[in-house]
Amino acid sequence: MLYEFAFSPDVFFPEAFGVKAANGEVIAAENHGHLALSTLWKGIERFGVIRDLAAGSWGKNLEARREGLHARSRELLKKLRSDGRIVSSCAHYSSLPQNEMDWLNEAMASHKSEPQLAQFFGTDDFCSSLKANDYLQLPKGISKIPFCPPFSGGGCSLKVERNVEAYIIALRSLIKHSRSLMFIDPYLDLKADNYQGFLKLLREIASINPSIEIELHRQIKTAYGEQFMSATDWRLRFEDAIASIQSLKKLNINVFIWDEFHDRYLISNLMGVSVPYGFDTTNKSDATRWTMLSPQDTDDVRQEFSEGDPQRRRKLWRT
């Protein structure tokens, strides 16, 4: 769901976007680089992160060569880092990478250790020197970036079985790299039978990323035929369920009770997802389709369920 990428540092320099003359000399093409790097940003902004390979040596390599970076790269890398889209990755070799082949080998080792890497992008010259079936077809030249999801635009969705194991598989990368998660589900109830799987999901979050900030959002209205509960009652019900599980006590969880709403979402600082059936589970062989939101729609939902938003369209029930 959240795409993880690796890049050769060389793709952030003007020389990666040049035109080769008859004598072999590369003539830098500033416009080509600007277009490719802008496409890179738009794709990562939608639902992607970049691995800081070799325990941060990737980022240090770029910083040490900062003066030679493509003009667009300096702005881009600063934005990626401030948005939390450059994520840590362990080193897999004792010596630091010195060239594109070294960076590709480091990316492959990272992928084999944590098989979530969607693509490695290197310079066109380097990637064209590789055989088609080498390296699991992971490397592509940077000029191919407009043709690879999520850089190619369009919608993106994922079919997910309605059980907690499938949820964890789909969300693991998002859980690991996010700073915050908003679970928005009008019927979220940690003591209901069909939401016991959600407690398991919370336990998994606590084991993967215990420093993450969690928000649980539901409506004050109960399911049909159930007795009305006040916002205070709902908050106490959530707190009681969370307190009963020792591993959840280390999580920072805030509960919000709103007026009636219908749509269900998962909103991270990295991306947003429309979740039509919410986060309950079923014993039936049943599946649902989660759809990734655009950055604009993600921000809109975040503001809609933001306590401090003066333009919010929903009533937040106080306890």
Side-chain angles (χ1 to χ4, degrees), residues 93-98 106:
Y93 294 96
S94 57
S95 58
L96 297 179
Q98 301 297 319
E106 181 66 34

Side-chain angles (χ1 to χ4, degrees), residues 17 29 40 43-44 47-48 51 54 79 86 112 114 125 133 144 146 149 170 192 207-208 248 250 270 281 283 290 307:
F17 308 101
L40 187 161
I44 297 294
F47 18 84
R51 290 189 184 180
K79 181 68 171 171
I86 297 179
K112 290 176 181 177
E114 297 181 81
D125 277 353
N133 294 323
K144 304 293 185 184
S207 67
I208 296 173
L248 299 187
K250 59 185 175 182
L270 296 175
T281 55
N283 293 325
W290 292 357
E307 182 179 8

Side-chain angles (χ1 to χ4, degrees), residues 136-147:
L136 306 176
Q137 298 186 3
L138 198 69
K140 286 191 183 298
I142 192 64
S143 67
K144 304 293 185 184
I145 202 167
F147 309 102

Side-chain angles (χ1 to χ4, degrees), residues 163-194:
N163 60 72
V164 67
E165 288 76 18
Y167 296 168
I168 290 171
I169 291 172
L171 296 175
R172 181 174 294 278
S173 185
L174 188 63
I175 292 168
K176 180 178 180 180
H177 300 303
S178 293
R179 297 169 180 167
S180 62
L181 289 174
M182 299 169 64
F183 292 93
I184 301 170
D185 182 339
Y187 296 108
L188 183 59
D189 182 355
L190 300 186
K191 290 197 172 183
D193 291 341
N194 59 325

Side-chain angles (χ1 to χ4, degrees), residues 41-93:
W41 163 246
K42 289 184 181 298
I44 297 294
E45 181 190 31
R46 292 179 73 205
F47 18 84
V49 292
I50 298 174
R51 290 189 184 180
D52 196 351
L53 296 171
S57 294
W58 181 86
K60 292 175 182 176
N61 180 289
L62 286 167
E63 184 60 32
R65 303 160 65 192
R66 179 178 177 79
E67 292 305 316
L69 286 171
H70 189 288
R72 184 75 173 98
S73 293
R74 287 190 283 271
E75 175 190 355
L76 171 66
L77 291 166
K78 180 180 179 180
K79 181 68 171 171
L80 288 169
R81 196 168 291 282
S82 67
D83 286 358
R85 294 188 181 275
I86 297 179
V87 300
S88 61
S89 179
C90 297
H92 295 85
Y93 294 96

